[in-house]
Amino acid sequence: MVKITFVEHDGTRTEVEADEGLSLMKAATYGGVAGISADCGGNCACGTCRIYVPANWRHAFGEPKASEAEMIEFSQDTTEGVRLACQTKVTADMEGMELGLPESQHY
Ligand code: FES
């Protein structure tokens, strides 16, 4: 299990423990993270699973596929380090990672 902490825009922190191979979106939603609504269910079609990856954790992510990059562009979120949680799988080297969440995804 890999421990990952999601930090809402208001500072609320939720730590989840996720299996390797699970998407970060599922890790968050299964863990009760409020700031990931994931309206399309992980099909790279809604942009409501955005996460902000701090610079010191970006090595754990590959380059975004074209579909992910297009969805981020469509969302008009230009925050540095923005990625889609549904398009990245949990790996062992994410142990202890902290990810930010956009205010617009807080319901
Ligand atoms: S869940 Fe819809 S784009 Fe990730």
Side-chain angles (χ1 to χ4, degrees):
M1 299 291 265
V2 181
K3 280 187 190 163
I4 299 169
T5 301
F6 293 85
V7 184
E8 312 274 346
H9 74 284
D10 65 358
T12 303
R13 301 166 64 86
T14 307
E15 183 181 283
V16 304
E17 292 197 18
D19 288 320
E20 289 179 57
L22 193 67
S23 76
L24 279 172
M25 180 276 279
K26 287 187 176 164
T29 54
Y30 293 171
V33 175
I36 297 272
S37 54
D39 297 346
C40 75
N43 290 310
C44 199
C46 70
T48 62
C49 66
R50 298 191 316 283
I51 50 174
Y52 299 144
V53 184
N56 59 330
W57 285 104
R58 289 183 201 149
H59 64 274
F61 291 69
E63 288 297 312
K65 289 185 196 159
S67 54
E68 181 182 357
E70 285 167 17
M71 193 64 243
I72 289 169
E73 189 177 337
F74 183 73
S75 76
Q76 299 185 327
D77 188 340
T78 57
T79 307
E80 196 178 341
V82 62
R83 296 295 297 262
L84 297 181
C86 70
Q87 298 301 302
T88 300
K89 296 201 182 310
V90 174
T91 59
D93 58 359
M94 292 176 177
E95 174 69 31
M97 180 168 70
E98 294 193 7
L99 299 168
L101 296 169
E103 183 173 5
S104 61
Q105 285 173 195
H106 190 79
Y107 298 102

